Amino acid sequence: MDSAEDTVDGYRPWSEVTPDAARRLLVAAVEAFAERGYHATTTRDIAGRAGMSPAALYIHYKTKEELLHRISRIGHDKALDILTTAADGSGCAAERLDAAVRSFVRWHAAHHTTARVVQYELDALASEHRSEIVALRRQSDAAVRRILTDGVAAGEFDVPDVPGTTLAVLSLCIDVARWFSVAGQRTPDEVGALYADLVLRMVGARPRPQK
């Protein structure tokens, strides 16, 4: 398992969480949830991993669910930033799709422990928190859908079903967090490049018609 604190591409997860004790508890929660699952993890487990007493946890987080919500919100904000940055970037649709998939997959591989919690513990959230996260996921969906729609309009992509293809692309990228291992043969960059190529083939990417 990777550490929930690993720094990759200059990004240190949870650096926005303060004070340090709150951040240590959040990192411990990520590792515990990824290893045992949200429901099998107790607040005592989390506090113990952080080297703190169970009582100390409640100074920073009222409930275990509040911890999960904070983790999920930060992770989904990061995912949305990656995809919208690519969607709003320069270049043709194929170049923007390449950038989106490459970056999104690299993040899910490099931070696979964090990503597993962010992407697969959604149902454990309270209803109001789940609705908030679902809204962020819809924005991520919209960013990818916009790239695909632009590609179809420009004659770059052959995609009869844009919504269905959007779901397929995102599902393919997210699943990397489930199986990626630092002991594997490919680096996060290599997996990102592989998946970008696969997605471009899937949408039938071809050069834009010359004017």
Side-chain angles (χ1 to χ4, degrees), residues 2-210:
D2 66 331
S3 168
E5 291 195 275
D6 287 347
T7 300
V8 179
D9 292 339
Y11 170 67
R12 188 185 186 199
W14 323 121
S15 57
E16 56 273 85
V17 179
T18 58
D20 181 67
R23 181 175 178 276
R24 283 166 51 203
L25 286 163
L26 190 142
V27 169
V30 170
E31 294 173 347
F33 293 159
E35 182 179 310
R36 306 186 61 183
Y38 173 81
H39 292 293
T41 299
T42 66
T43 54
R44 184 175 294 275
D45 294 332
I46 295 167
R49 283 174 180 261
M52 301 167 69
S53 70
L57 186 148
Y58 296 107
I59 296 174
H60 303 285
Y61 302 99
K62 294 177 182 178
T63 64
K64 184 176 70 167
E65 193 273 341
E66 183 180 323
L67 257 172
L68 179 63
H69 173 241
R70 188 79 192 276
I71 292 164
S72 189
R73 178 63 198 238
I74 292 173
H76 279 89
D77 280 341
K78 180 62 179 177
L80 179 59
D81 178 65
I82 289 170
L83 293 172
T84 54
T85 296
D88 294 338
S90 60
C92 65
E95 291 167 337
R96 287 183 286 137
L97 184 60
D98 178 282
V101 172
R102 193 179 294 261
S103 299
F104 201 47
V105 166
R106 185 170 59 227
W107 188 84
H108 280 79
H111 303 290
H112 54 277
T113 299
T114 294
R116 280 203 301 276
V117 177
V118 169
Q119 299 290 3
Y120 295 118
E121 292 287 0
L122 187 64
D123 289 340
L125 291 170
S127 59
E128 67 274 19
H129 289 158
R130 190 179 188 281
S131 296
E132 174 190 314
I133 299 305
V134 166
L136 290 173
R137 291 170 79 97
R138 286 175 178 155
Q139 291 180 61
S140 292
D141 180 282
V144 175
R145 188 180 303 188
R146 176 154 53 94
I147 299 173
L148 294 179
T149 300
D150 289 348
V152 171
E156 293 181 60
F157 300 158
D158 180 11
V159 180
D161 182 350
V162 170
T165 303
T166 299
L167 177 61
V169 170
L170 288 170
S171 298
L172 189 69
C173 295
I174 288 169
D175 192 58
V176 169
R178 183 184 57 78
W179 61 260
F180 185 84
S181 170
V182 293
Q185 296 182 340
R186 289 190 172 95
T187 67
D189 282 339
E190 290 170 339
V191 177
L194 172 64
Y195 274 52
D197 180 68
L198 289 172
V199 168
L200 288 173
R201 291 172 183 269
M202 183 170 71
V203 301
R206 50 184 177 265
R208 285 182 296 180
Q210 296 296 316

